[in-house]
Amino acid sequence: MSGGQALAAIDREEALARIRLLRSPNVGPVTYAQLLARFGDARRAVEALPEIAGRSGKRYRPAPEQVALDEARAVRRAGARYLFHDAPEYPALLAASEAPPPILIVRGDAAFLAAPCVALVGARNASAAAVRLARMLAGELADAGMTVVSGLARGIDGAAHHGALGAGGATVGVIASGIDVTYPPEHAELQERIALDGLLIAEQPPGTEPLARHFPSRNRIIAGLSSGTLVVEAAPRSGSLITARLAGEMGREVMAIPGSPLDPRSHGCNQLIRDGAILVQRAEDVIELLSGFDGSARSTFREAMPDWGDCEDISEAEPAPLADLLTTAPVPVDELIRQSGASPAAVQLALLELEIAGALVRHAGGRVSRA
């Protein structure tokens, strides 16, 4: 694989600039998208970062170009490639979710994402019966032409991947580490097999260890890729329930396998069903439920971005007076626009400046707060 292939089909300089932009301090998916929408390409966006942060009184250095070059080489060494937000292969369902990752790093065949995808997740310390059931369900779903998505964790995740592969079907593994890092260690062979016979996805740069703060993003990708999420076995307050909650917030189907109230590992699934998740017991239940999901998602990457209107010249645009309106309590951006009396473009510009300067935190549901 050449360096150009690792950087995808877009202009090499633009690809490197996109990597620099996303790896720069305080630039997340929303800020990344807004900067591209405002400046037209990543090269100009990176050049503008110091001036934007400077308007809030902060000195700022974007990620050096060498960081992007080193990362691209590491991606190539790992036999992987980049999947940018505007690539034809970028999954439409994920693009339609809130703040989708602008850049994915993948190994394997991204065409599997074009098939109906179902997430199958559950407890790491799963019971033997639940592991067997997860493996069987995944095999039957894969045999029916569905792509099984999971997170390569111990227990239910691993069983889901094994079941899909064992049936000769498709599976996607989303990991919280770099594409070249195996976690857990005992899944080294499974992770490699998924990369060869399915698709392996990472959001973090190569060499990144699976830290706790990376797993929520991993869970969001799992939910975002899938028409529905099936939880086989989960304790209360587990990561699997977070994935299910994210799926529900995205308007996707949430399903759960009921279990004995005497087993704490079933309490999470039983609570999901009590809260409105669909009770399923067989693969046919899942197939029937998701067959009505038309998958007609469209990318919201640019459509959700503000109309900058007459704020084309950043040197002349005055930020909205937000300092007194923002606190550490999250508030919807629409509310800030109403209370400030400023134009939506001016408010978005002010928020952009504050975020790049490290003074703003973005939350789910289009809410923001002071850092």
Side-chain angles (χ1 to χ4, degrees):
M1 178 180 292
S2 69
Q5 288 174 313
L7 291 176
I10 63 173
D11 174 78
R12 183 175 182 276
E13 289 187 10
E14 173 64 12
L16 287 171
R18 290 185 179 189
I19 300 167
R20 284 187 68 193
L21 182 61
L22 191 59
R23 305 308 180 211
S24 292
N26 306 320
V27 176
V30 173
T31 304
Y32 176 100
Q34 291 189 348
L35 287 167
L36 279 193
R38 178 170 178 76
F39 293 101
D41 61 53
R43 283 167 283 199
R44 284 184 285 185
V46 170
E47 292 172 358
L49 284 174
E51 182 181 352
I52 295 173
R55 288 169 61 84
S56 294
K58 300 287 186 179
R59 297 186 63 184
Y60 186 95
R61 284 192 61 194
E65 184 176 3
Q66 192 62 44
V67 167
L69 287 168
D70 291 343
E71 180 181 322
R73 292 182 183 121
V75 168
R76 184 173 65 248
R77 286 195 301 269
R81 62 188 178 89
Y82 289 102
L83 192 57
F84 294 99
H85 72 275
D86 52 358
E89 295 174 293
Y90 195 96
L93 281 179
L94 182 60
S97 65
E98 182 182 355
I103 302 175
L104 298 173
I105 300 172
V106 301
R107 283 186 64 197
D109 189 354
F112 291 131
L113 296 173
C117 294
V118 56
L120 204 160
V121 297
R124 287 176 169 81
N125 62 333
S127 65
V131 167
R132 181 174 178 272
L133 178 61
R135 188 183 298 117
M136 180 186 71
L137 288 171
E140 293 174 352
L141 291 169
D143 191 54
M146 303 193 78
T147 296
V148 176
V149 181
S150 199
L152 261 164
R154 299 180 178 94
I156 298 301
D157 286 22
H161 293 304
H162 279 298
L165 291 169
T171 190
V172 174
V174 185
I175 57 178
S177 61
I179 199 78
D180 55 346
V181 175
T182 299
Y183 183 83
E186 61 265 32
H187 279 177
E189 183 177 344
L190 175 60
Q191 183 165 318
E192 184 63 21
R193 188 179 174 194
I194 291 173
L196 294 174
D197 298 332
L199 180 68
L200 187 67
I201 296 178
E203 184 181 10
Q204 305 301 324
T208 303
E209 294 297 325
L211 303 178
R213 66 175 182 268
H214 299 150
F215 283 90
S217 297
R218 188 277 307 258
N219 295 342
R220 182 174 292 277
I221 294 173
I222 292 173
L225 289 170
S226 308
S227 303
T229 292
L230 171 59
V231 185
V232 174
E233 188 176 71
R237 304 180 66 179
S238 66
S240 302
L241 297 192
I242 294 174
T243 305
R245 175 179 59 79
L246 291 168
E249 291 174 354
M250 295 175 189
R252 316 296 167 80
E253 298 289 357
V254 179
M255 303 159 283
I257 301 288
S260 168
L262 300 179
D263 188 345
R265 291 171 294 193
S266 296
H267 290 179
C269 286
N270 293 345
Q271 184 64 47
L272 281 175
I273 295 169
R274 181 180 178 183
D275 293 341
I278 305 298
L279 186 156
V280 300
Q281 301 180 87
R282 307 171 303 161
E284 289 84 354
D285 299 335
V286 178
I287 295 168
E288 180 182 359
L289 183 63
L290 298 186
S291 63
F293 196 96
D294 62 12
S296 59
R298 54 190 173 86
S299 173
T300 58
F301 190 88
R302 289 188 180 274
E303 292 174 8
M305 294 304 103
D307 179 4
W308 296 106
D310 57 1
C311 290
E312 290 299 328
D313 185 353
I314 189 172
S315 64
E316 297 178 0
E318 289 295 330
L322 299 181
D324 295 334
L325 297 179
L326 281 171
T327 69
T328 54
V331 61
V333 173
D334 288 346
E335 183 65 22
L336 292 175
I337 294 172
R338 280 193 293 270
Q339 293 194 28
S340 68
S343 69
V347 171
Q348 292 287 0
L349 175 58
L351 295 178
L352 187 65
E353 294 169 1
L354 289 170
E355 184 172 18
I356 293 174
L360 183 83
V361 177
R362 292 190 185 270
H363 304 269
R367 298 174 301 152
V368 296
S369 70
R370 275 198 176 278

